[in-house]
Coordinates of all heavy atoms in Angstrom, one line a residue:
D50 N 53.0 86.2 67.5 CA 52.9 84.9 68.2 C 52.2 85.1 69.6 O 51.5 84.2 70.0 CB 54.3 84.3 68.4 CG 54.9 83.9 67.1 OD1 54.2 83.5 66.1 OD2 56.2 83.8 67.0
A51 N 52.4 86.2 70.2 CA 51.8 86.4 71.5 C 50.3 86.5 71.3 O 49.6 85.9 72.2 CB 52.3 87.8 72.1
A52 N 49.8 87.2 70.3 CA 48.3 87.2 70.2 C 47.8 85.8 69.9 O 46.8 85.4 70.4 CB 48.0 88.1 69.0
A53 N 48.5 85.0 69.1 CA 48.1 83.6 68.8 C 48.1 82.8 70.1 O 47.2 81.9 70.3 CB 49.0 83.0 67.7
N54 N 49.0 83.1 71.0 CA 49.0 82.3 72.2 C 48.0 82.7 73.2 O 47.6 81.9 74.1 CB 50.4 82.5 72.9 CG 51.5 81.8 72.1 OD1 51.2 80.8 71.3 ND2 52.7 82.3 72.3
T55 N 47.6 83.9 73.2 CA 46.4 84.4 74.1 C 45.1 84.1 73.7 O 44.2 84.0 74.5 CB 46.5 85.9 74.3 OG1 46.4 86.6 73.2 CG2 47.9 86.3 75.0
E56 N 44.9 83.8 72.4 CA 43.6 83.6 71.9 C 42.9 82.4 72.5 O 41.7 82.6 73.0 CB 43.6 83.4 70.3 CG 42.3 83.5 69.7 CD 41.6 82.2 69.6 OE1 42.2 81.2 69.6 OE2 40.3 82.2 69.6
P57 N 43.5 81.3 72.8 CA 42.9 80.1 73.4 C 42.4 80.4 74.8 O 41.4 80.0 75.4 CB 43.9 79.0 73.4 CG 44.8 79.3 72.3 CD 44.8 80.9 72.2
Y58 N 43.2 81.2 75.5 CA 42.9 81.7 76.9 C 41.6 82.4 76.9 O 40.7 82.1 77.7 CB 44.0 82.4 77.6 CG 43.5 83.1 78.9 CD1 43.4 82.3 80.0 CD2 43.2 84.4 78.9 CE1 42.9 82.9 81.2 CE2 42.7 85.0 80.0 CZ 42.6 84.3 81.2 OH 42.1 84.9 82.4
F59 N 41.6 83.5 76.1 CA 40.4 84.3 76.1 C 39.2 83.5 75.6 O 38.0 83.8 76.1 CB 40.6 85.6 75.2 CG 41.6 86.5 75.8 CD1 42.7 86.9 75.0 CD2 41.5 87.0 77.1 CE1 43.5 87.9 75.5 CE2 42.4 87.9 77.6 CZ 43.5 88.3 76.8
S60 N 39.4 82.6 74.7 CA 38.2 81.8 74.3 C 37.7 80.9 75.4 O 36.5 80.9 75.6 CB 38.7 81.0 73.1 OG 37.6 80.1 72.6
S61 N 38.6 80.3 76.1 CA 38.1 79.4 77.2 C 37.5 80.2 78.4 O 36.7 79.6 79.1 CB 39.3 78.5 77.7 OG 40.2 79.3 78.3
A62 N 37.9 81.4 78.5 CA 37.5 82.2 79.6 C 36.2 83.0 79.2 O 35.7 83.8 80.0 CB 38.5 83.2 80.1
A63 N 35.6 82.7 78.0 CA 34.5 83.4 77.6 C 34.6 84.9 77.6 O 33.7 85.7 77.8 CB 33.2 83.0 78.3
M64 N 35.7 85.4 77.2 CA 36.0 86.9 77.0 C 36.0 87.2 75.6 O 37.0 87.3 75.0 CB 37.4 87.2 77.7 CG 37.5 86.8 79.2 SD 39.1 86.9 79.8 CE 39.0 88.3 80.9
K65 N 34.8 87.2 75.0 CA 34.6 87.3 73.6 C 35.3 88.6 72.9 O 35.8 88.5 71.8 CB 33.1 87.3 73.2 CG 32.5 85.9 73.5 CD 33.2 84.8 72.9 CE 32.6 83.5 73.2 NZ 33.6 82.4 72.7
D66 N 35.2 89.7 73.6 CA 35.9 90.9 73.1 C 37.3 90.7 73.0 O 38.0 90.9 71.9 CB 35.6 92.1 73.9 CG 36.3 93.3 73.4 OD1 36.1 93.7 72.3 OD2 37.1 93.9 74.2
S67 N 38.0 90.2 74.0 CA 39.4 89.9 74.0 C 39.7 88.7 73.1 O 40.8 88.8 72.4 CB 39.9 89.5 75.4 OG 39.7 90.6 76.3
D68 N 38.9 87.7 73.0 CA 39.1 86.7 72.1 C 39.1 87.2 70.7 O 39.9 86.8 69.8 CB 38.0 85.6 72.3 CG 38.2 84.3 71.6 OD1 39.3 84.0 71.1 OD2 37.2 83.6 71.4
L69 N 38.1 88.0 70.4 CA 38.1 88.6 69.0 C 39.3 89.4 68.6 O 39.9 89.2 67.6 CB 36.8 89.5 68.9 CG 36.7 90.2 67.5 CD1 36.5 89.3 66.4 CD2 35.5 91.2 67.6
R70 N 39.7 90.2 69.6 CA 40.9 91.1 69.3 C 42.1 90.2 69.1 O 42.9 90.5 68.3 CB 41.1 92.0 70.5 CG 40.1 93.2 70.6 CD 40.2 93.9 71.9 NE 39.3 95.0 72.0 CZ 39.4 96.2 71.6 NH1 40.6 96.5 71.0 NH2 38.5 97.1 71.7
S71 N 42.3 89.2 69.9 CA 43.5 88.3 69.8 C 43.4 87.6 68.4 O 44.5 87.5 67.8 CB 43.5 87.3 70.9 OG 43.6 87.8 72.1
A72 N 42.3 87.1 68.0 CA 42.2 86.4 66.8 C 42.5 87.4 65.5 O 43.3 87.0 64.7 CB 40.8 85.8 66.5
L73 N 42.0 88.6 65.6 CA 42.3 89.6 64.6 C 43.7 90.0 64.5 O 44.3 90.1 63.5 CB 41.3 90.8 64.8 CG 39.8 90.6 64.5 CD1 39.0 91.8 65.0 CD2 39.6 90.3 63.0
I74 N 44.3 90.2 65.7 CA 45.7 90.7 65.8 C 46.6 89.4 65.2 O 47.6 89.7 64.5 CB 46.1 91.0 67.2 CG1 45.4 92.4 67.5 CG2 47.6 91.2 67.3 CD1 45.5 92.8 68.9
A75 N 46.2 88.2 65.6 CA 47.0 87.0 65.2 C 46.9 86.9 63.7 O 47.9 86.6 63.0 CB 46.5 85.8 65.9
A76 N 45.7 87.2 63.1 CA 45.5 87.1 61.6 C 46.3 88.2 61.0 O 47.0 87.9 59.9 CB 44.0 87.3 61.2
Q77 N 46.4 89.4 61.5 CA 47.2 90.5 60.9 C 48.7 90.1 61.0 O 49.4 90.3 60.0 CB 46.9 91.8 61.6 CG 45.6 92.4 61.3 CD 45.3 93.7 62.1 OE1 46.0 94.0 63.1 NE2 44.4 94.5 61.7
A78 N 49.1 89.6 62.1 CA 50.5 89.2 62.3 C 50.8 88.1 61.3 O 51.9 88.1 60.6 CB 50.8 88.7 63.7
A79 N 49.9 87.1 61.1 CA 50.2 86.1 60.1 C 50.3 86.6 58.7 O 51.2 86.2 57.9 CB 49.2 85.0 60.2
R80 N 49.5 87.6 58.4 CA 49.5 88.2 57.1 C 50.9 89.0 56.8 O 51.4 88.8 55.7 CB 48.3 89.2 56.9 CG 48.3 89.9 55.5 CD 47.2 90.7 55.3 NE 46.7 91.3 56.5 CZ 46.2 92.6 56.7 NH1 45.9 93.3 55.6 NH2 45.9 93.0 57.9
I81 N 51.4 89.7 57.9 CA 52.6 90.3 57.8 C 53.7 89.4 57.5 O 54.7 89.7 56.8 CB 52.8 91.3 59.0 CG1 51.9 92.4 59.0 CG2 54.3 91.7 59.1 CD1 51.8 93.1 60.3
R82 N 53.7 88.2 58.2 CA 54.7 87.2 58.0 C 54.5 86.3 56.7 O 55.2 85.4 56.5 CB 54.6 86.2 59.2 CG 55.1 86.8 60.5 CD 55.3 85.8 61.6 NE 54.3 84.8 61.7 CZ 53.2 84.8 62.4 NH1 53.0 85.8 63.2 NH2 52.3 83.9 62.4
H83 N 53.4 86.7 55.9 CA 53.1 85.9 54.7 C 52.8 84.4 55.0 O 53.2 83.5 54.3 CB 54.3 86.0 53.7 CG 54.6 87.4 53.4 ND1 53.7 88.2 52.6 CD2 55.7 88.2 53.7 CE1 54.3 89.4 52.4 NE2 55.5 89.3 53.1
D84 N 52.1 84.2 56.2 CA 51.7 82.9 56.7 C 50.2 82.8 56.4 O 49.4 83.0 57.2 CB 52.0 82.8 58.2 CG 51.6 81.5 58.8 OD1 51.0 80.7 58.1 OD2 52.0 81.3 60.0
A85 N 49.9 82.4 55.2 CA 48.6 82.3 54.7 C 47.7 81.4 55.5 O 46.5 81.6 55.7 CB 48.5 81.9 53.2
A86 N 48.3 80.2 55.9 CA 47.5 79.2 56.7 C 47.0 79.8 58.0 O 45.8 79.6 58.3 CB 48.3 77.9 56.9
N87 N 47.9 80.4 58.7 CA 47.5 80.9 60.0 C 46.6 82.2 59.9 O 45.8 82.4 60.7 CB 48.7 81.2 60.9 CG 49.2 80.0 61.6 OD1 48.3 79.2 62.1 ND2 50.4 79.8 61.7
E88 N 46.9 83.0 58.8 CA 46.0 84.1 58.6 C 44.5 83.6 58.3 O 43.6 84.2 58.9 CB 46.5 84.9 57.3 CG 45.5 86.1 57.1 CD 46.0 86.9 55.9 OE1 46.8 86.5 55.1 OE2 45.3 87.9 55.6
K89 N 44.4 82.7 57.5 CA 43.1 82.1 57.2 C 42.5 81.5 58.5 O 41.3 81.7 58.8 CB 43.2 81.0 56.2 CG 41.9 80.5 55.7 CD 42.1 79.5 54.6 CE 40.7 78.8 54.2 NZ 40.9 77.9 53.1
L90 N 43.2 80.8 59.3 CA 42.7 80.2 60.6 C 42.3 81.2 61.5 O 41.1 81.1 62.0 CB 43.9 79.4 61.2 CG 43.6 78.8 62.6 CD1 42.8 77.5 62.5 CD2 44.9 78.5 63.4
F91 N 43.0 82.3 61.8 CA 42.6 83.2 62.7 C 41.5 84.1 62.2 O 40.7 84.6 62.9 CB 43.8 84.0 63.2 CG 44.7 83.2 64.2 CD1 45.9 82.8 63.8 CD2 44.2 82.9 65.5 CE1 46.7 82.0 64.8 CE2 44.9 82.2 66.3 CZ 46.1 81.7 66.0
A92 N 41.5 84.4 60.8 CA 40.4 85.2 60.3 C 39.1 84.4 60.4 O 38.0 85.1 60.7 CB 40.8 85.5 58.8
H93 N 39.1 83.1 60.2 CA 37.9 82.3 60.3 C 37.5 82.4 61.8 O 36.3 82.4 62.1 CB 38.1 80.9 59.8 CG 38.0 80.8 58.3 ND1 36.8 80.9 57.6 CD2 38.9 80.6 57.4 CE1 37.0 80.8 56.4 NE2 38.3 80.5 56.2
R94 N 38.5 82.3 62.7 CA 38.1 82.3 64.1 C 37.4 83.6 64.4 O 36.4 83.7 65.2 CB 39.4 82.1 65.0 CG 39.2 82.2 66.4 CD 38.4 81.0 67.0 NE 38.1 81.2 68.3 CZ 36.9 81.1 68.9 NH1 35.9 80.6 68.3 NH2 36.8 81.3 70.2
A95 N 37.9 84.7 63.9 CA 37.4 86.0 64.2 C 36.0 86.1 63.6 O 35.0 86.6 64.2 CB 38.3 87.1 63.5
L96 N 35.8 85.6 62.4 CA 34.4 85.6 61.8 C 33.4 84.8 62.7 O 32.3 85.2 62.9 CB 34.5 85.1 60.4 CG 33.2 85.2 59.6 CD1 32.6 86.5 59.5 CD2 33.4 84.6 58.2
D97 N 33.9 83.7 63.2 CA 33.0 82.8 64.0 C 32.7 83.6 65.3 O 31.5 83.5 65.8 CB 33.8 81.5 64.4 CG 33.8 80.5 63.3 OD1 33.2 80.7 62.3 OD2 34.6 79.5 63.5
I98 N 33.6 84.3 65.9 CA 33.3 85.1 67.1 C 32.3 86.2 66.7 O 31.3 86.4 67.5 CB 34.6 85.6 67.7 CG1 35.5 84.5 68.1 CG2 34.3 86.6 68.8 CD1 37.0 84.9 68.4
L99 N 32.6 86.9 65.7 CA 31.7 88.0 65.3 C 30.3 87.5 65.0 O 29.2 88.0 65.5 CB 32.2 88.7 64.0 CG 33.3 89.7 64.2 CD1 33.9 90.0 62.9 CD2 32.8 91.0 65.0
T100 N 30.1 86.3 64.3 CA 28.8 85.7 64.1 C 28.2 85.3 65.4 O 26.9 85.5 65.6 CB 29.0 84.5 63.2 OG1 29.5 84.9 62.0 CG2 27.7 83.8 62.9
G101 N 28.9 84.7 66.4 CA 28.4 84.4 67.7 C 27.9 85.7 68.4 O 26.8 85.6 69.0
L102 N 28.6 86.7 68.4 CA 28.2 88.0 69.0 C 26.9 88.5 68.3 O 26.0 88.9 69.0 CB 29.3 89.1 68.9 CG 30.6 88.8 69.7 CD1 31.6 89.9 69.5 CD2 30.3 88.7 71.1
R103 N 26.9 88.5 67.0 CA 25.7 88.9 66.3 C 24.5 88.1 66.7 O 23.4 88.7 66.8 CB 25.9 88.9 64.8 CG 24.7 89.5 64.0 CD 24.7 89.0 62.6 NE 24.5 87.5 62.5 CZ 25.0 86.8 61.6 NH1 25.6 87.3 60.6 NH2 24.8 85.5 61.6
N104 N 24.6 86.8 67.0 CA 23.5 86.0 67.3 C 23.1 86.0 68.8 O 22.0 85.7 69.1 CB 23.9 84.5 66.9 CG 24.0 84.3 65.4 OD1 23.3 85.1 64.7 ND2 24.8 83.4 65.0
T105 N 24.0 86.7 69.6 CA 23.6 86.7 71.0 C 23.4 88.1 71.6 O 22.7 88.2 72.6 CB 24.7 86.0 71.9 OG1 25.9 86.6 71.6 CG2 24.8 84.5 71.6
W106 N 24.0 89.0 70.9 CA 23.8 90.4 71.4 C 22.6 91.0 70.7 O 22.2 90.7 69.6 CB 25.0 91.2 71.1 CG 26.3 91.0 71.9 CD1 26.4 90.0 72.9 CD2 27.5 91.6 71.8 NE1 27.6 90.0 73.4 CE2 28.3 91.1 72.7 CE3 28.0 92.7 71.1 CZ2 29.7 91.5 73.0 CZ3 29.3 93.1 71.3 CH2 30.1 92.5 72.2
P107 N 22.0 92.0 71.4 CA 20.9 92.8 70.8 C 21.4 93.5 69.5 O 22.6 93.9 69.5 CB 20.5 93.8 71.8 CG 20.9 93.2 73.1 CD 22.2 92.4 72.8
P108 N 20.7 93.6 68.5 CA 21.2 94.2 67.2 C 21.9 95.6 67.4 O 22.9 95.9 66.8 CB 20.0 94.3 66.3 CG 19.1 93.3 66.8 CD 19.3 93.2 68.3
Q109 N 21.3 96.5 68.3 CA 21.9 97.8 68.4 C 23.3 97.7 69.1 O 24.2 98.5 68.7 CB 21.0 98.7 69.3 CG 19.6 98.9 68.7 CD 18.6 97.8 69.1 OE1 19.0 96.8 69.7 NE2 17.4 98.1 68.7
L110 N 23.4 96.8 70.0 CA 24.7 96.6 70.7 C 25.7 96.1 69.7 O 26.9 96.6 69.7 CB 24.5 95.7 71.9 CG 25.9 95.4 72.6 CD1 26.5 96.7 73.2 CD2 25.6 94.4 73.8
F111 N 25.4 95.1 68.9 CA 26.3 94.5 67.9 C 26.8 95.6 66.9 O 27.9 95.8 66.6 CB 25.7 93.4 67.2 CG 26.7 92.7 66.2 CD1 27.7 91.9 66.6 CD2 26.5 93.0 64.8 CE1 28.6 91.3 65.7 CE2 27.4 92.5 63.9 CZ 28.4 91.6 64.3
T112 N 25.8 96.4 66.4 CA 26.1 97.4 65.4 C 27.0 98.5 66.1 O 28.0 98.9 65.5 CB 24.8 98.0 64.9 OG1 24.0 97.1 64.3 CG2 25.1 99.2 63.9
S113 N 26.7 98.8 67.3 CA 27.5 99.9 67.9 C 28.9 99.4 68.2 O 29.9 100.1 67.9 CB 26.9 100.2 69.3 OG 27.7 101.1 70.0
Y114 N 29.1 98.1 68.6 CA 30.4 97.5 68.9 C 31.2 97.4 67.6 O 32.4 97.8 67.6 CB 30.2 96.1 69.5 CG 31.5 95.4 69.7 CD1 32.3 95.8 70.8 CD2 31.9 94.3 68.9 CE1 33.5 95.1 71.0 CE2 33.0 93.7 69.1 CZ 33.9 94.1 70.1 OH 35.1 93.4 70.3
T115 N 30.6 96.9 66.5 CA 31.4 96.7 65.3 C 31.6 98.1 64.5 O 32.4 98.0 63.6 CB 30.7 95.7 64.4 OG1 29.4 96.1 64.1 CG2 30.7 94.3 65.0
S116 N 30.9 99.1 65.0 CA 31.2 100.4 64.3 C 32.3 101.2 65.1 O 32.7 102.3 64.6 CB 29.9 101.3 64.4 OG 28.9 100.6 63.7
R117 N 32.8 100.7 66.2 CA 33.8 101.4 66.9 C 35.1 101.4 66.1 O 35.4 100.5 65.4 CB 34.1 100.7 68.3 CG 33.1 100.8 69.2 CD 33.2 100.0 70.5 NE 34.6 99.6 70.8 CZ 34.9 98.8 71.8 NH1 34.0 98.3 72.6 NH2 36.2 98.5 72.0
P118 N 35.7 102.6 66.1 CA 37.0 102.8 65.3 C 38.0 101.6 65.7 O 38.7 101.2 64.7 CB 37.4 104.1 65.7 CG 36.3 104.8 66.0 CD 35.3 103.8 66.8
D119 N 38.2 101.4 66.9 CA 39.3 100.4 67.3 C 38.9 99.0 66.7 O 39.8 98.3 66.2 CB 39.4 100.3 68.8 CG 38.2 99.8 69.5 OD1 37.1 100.3 69.1 OD2 38.3 99.2 70.6
I120 N 37.6 98.6 66.7 CA 37.3 97.3 66.1 C 37.3 97.4 64.7 O 37.8 96.5 63.9 CB 35.8 96.9 66.6 CG1 35.8 96.8 68.1 CG2 35.4 95.6 65.9 CD1 36.8 95.8 68.7
Q121 N 36.9 98.5 64.0 CA 37.0 98.7 62.6 C 38.4 98.6 62.0 O 38.7 98.0 61.1 CB 36.4 100.0 62.1 CG 34.9 100.1 62.1 CD 34.3 99.2 61.1 OE1 34.7 99.3 59.9 NE2 33.4 98.4 61.4
S122 N 39.4 99.2 62.8 CA 40.8 99.2 62.4 C 41.3 97.7 62.5 O 42.2 97.3 61.6 CB 41.7 100.1 63.2 OG 41.8 99.7 64.5
L123 N 40.9 96.9 63.4 CA 41.3 95.5 63.5 C 40.8 94.6 62.5 O 41.4 93.7 61.9 CB 41.1 95.0 64.9 CG 41.8 95.4 66.0 CD1 41.3 94.9 67.3 CD2 43.3 95.1 65.9
V124 N 39.5 94.9 62.1 CA 38.7 94.0 61.2 C 39.1 94.4 59.7 O 39.1 93.5 58.9 CB 37.2 94.2 61.4 CG1 36.4 93.5 60.3 CG2 36.8 93.7 62.7
K125 N 39.5 95.7 59.5 CA 39.8 96.0 58.1 C 40.9 95.2 57.4 O 41.9 95.0 58.0 CB 40.3 97.5 58.2 CG 40.5 98.1 56.8 CD 40.9 99.6 56.9 CE 41.0 100.1 55.4 NZ 41.2 101.5 55.5
G126 N 40.5 94.6 56.4 CA 41.5 93.8 55.6 C 41.5 92.4 56.1 O 42.2 91.6 55.4
I127 N 40.8 92.0 57.0 CA 40.8 90.7 57.6 C 39.6 89.8 57.1 O 39.7 88.8 56.5 CB 41.0 90.6 59.1 CG1 42.3 91.3 59.5 CG2 40.9 89.2 59.6 CD1 43.6 90.5 59.1
T128 N 38.5 90.4 57.5 CA 37.3 89.6 57.3 C 36.0 90.5 57.3 O 36.1 91.5 58.0 CB 37.1 88.5 58.4 OG1 36.0 87.6 58.0 CG2 36.9 89.1 59.7
P129 N 35.0 90.2 56.5 CA 33.8 91.1 56.6 C 33.1 90.9 57.8 O 33.0 89.8 58.4 CB 33.1 90.7 55.4 CG 33.4 89.3 55.1 CD 34.9 89.2 55.5
I130 N 32.5 92.0 58.3 CA 31.6 91.9 59.5 C 30.2 91.3 59.0 O 29.7 91.8 58.1 CB 31.4 93.2 60.2 CG1 32.7 93.8 60.7 CG2 30.4 93.2 61.3 CD1 32.7 95.1 61.3
P131 N 29.8 90.2 59.7 CA 28.5 89.6 59.3 C 27.4 90.7 59.6 O 27.4 91.4 60.5 CB 28.3 88.4 60.2 CG 29.3 88.7 61.3 CD 30.4 89.6 60.9
N132 N 26.4 90.6 58.7 CA 25.2 91.5 58.8 C 24.2 91.0 59.8 O 24.0 89.8 60.0 CB 24.5 91.8 57.5 CG 25.5 92.6 56.6 OD1 26.2 93.4 57.0 ND2 25.4 92.3 55.3

């Protein structure tokens, strides 16, 4: 619930890395609670953020960022990283 509550703040503050992490953690928490609706909501939000980053960051930066172990562990099982 805490991650779900912080996601709108990070989104409005244009803190995309924190926004992404909050959405991914909220999706994982929803999955653990067997809350399919919120898991889907936050997974889609995370995918939207990743797509936005892919479209605005240089390709090398996006690839480097999404290859980080901390990001990989959050993304794993939630949503595919856009190419």
Side-chain angles (χ1 to χ4, degrees):
D50 289 336
N54 292 334
T55 60
E56 195 272 334
Y58 166 76
F59 292 128
S60 179
S61 67
M64 302 168 111
K65 294 302 178 190
D66 177 57
S67 298
D68 190 17
L69 175 62
R70 289 170 180 270
S71 293
L73 290 168
I74 292 168
Q77 288 178 344
R80 182 176 33 150
I81 291 167
R82 291 189 320 265
H83 304 288
D84 181 353
N87 276 319
E88 179 183 4
K89 183 177 179 180
L90 172 79
F91 286 109
H93 280 289
R94 177 70 185 131
L96 184 57
D97 288 345
I98 295 164
L99 283 167
T100 300
L102 293 175
R103 184 196 62 211
N104 292 333
T105 57
W106 286 4
Q109 299 87 352
L110 179 59
F111 180 78
T112 300
S113 175
Y114 176 76
T115 56
S116 297
R117 288 176 20 188
D119 60 326
I120 300 302
Q121 285 289 311
S122 69
L123 288 172
V124 171
K125 186 176 183 176
I127 298 295
T128 185
I130 295 177
N132 294 326

